[in-house]
């Protein structure tokens, strides 16, 4: 059937929607919640902080790989990507 698309899996949606900027915004919001409502919310802050650091590390590794690829093949089209 024309126009029918398969719905993305939850993992596909989460990988597409979660990026460094979004995690930074969430971390600031959760920090305010912790400040206003106390340490009960600290585990959520810790989890988002860990995810942010993981995403930043993935971006650094991806950038390194792309830079190396572009160094070794300058005549090809340069590739860039953001996680």
């Amino acid at each position: 059937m024309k126009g029918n698309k398969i719905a993305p899996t939850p993992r596909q949606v989460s990988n597409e929607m979660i990026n460094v900027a979004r995690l930074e915004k969430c971390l600031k919001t959760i920090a305010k919640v912790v400040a206003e409502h106390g340490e009960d919310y600290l585990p959520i802050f810790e989890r988002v902080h860990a995810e942010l650091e993981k995403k930043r590390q993935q971006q650094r590794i991806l950038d390194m790989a792309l830079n190396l690829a572009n160094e070794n093949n300058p005549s090809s089209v340069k590739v860039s990507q953001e996680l």
Side-chain angles (χ1 to χ4, degrees), residues 28-80:
K28 288 178 185 179
T29 300
I30 297 166
K32 292 175 186 176
V33 171
V34 171
E36 189 172 325
H37 299 286
E39 344 181 329
D40 288 346
Y41 295 91
L42 199 55
I44 299 168
F45 181 90
E46 291 172 335
R47 173 64 191 266
V48 173
H49 181 265
E51 290 296 322
L52 176 58
E53 290 303 310
K54 178 180 169 185
K55 193 62 86 171
R56 284 177 175 159
Q57 179 63 18
Q58 289 173 338
Q59 186 66 52
R60 284 190 291 268
I61 297 296
L62 177 60
D63 290 345
M64 184 187 321
L66 295 175
N67 286 335
L68 286 171
N70 289 328
E71 272 180 22
N72 293 330
N73 198 2
S75 63
S76 69
V77 175
K78 293 194 177 204
V79 180
S80 66

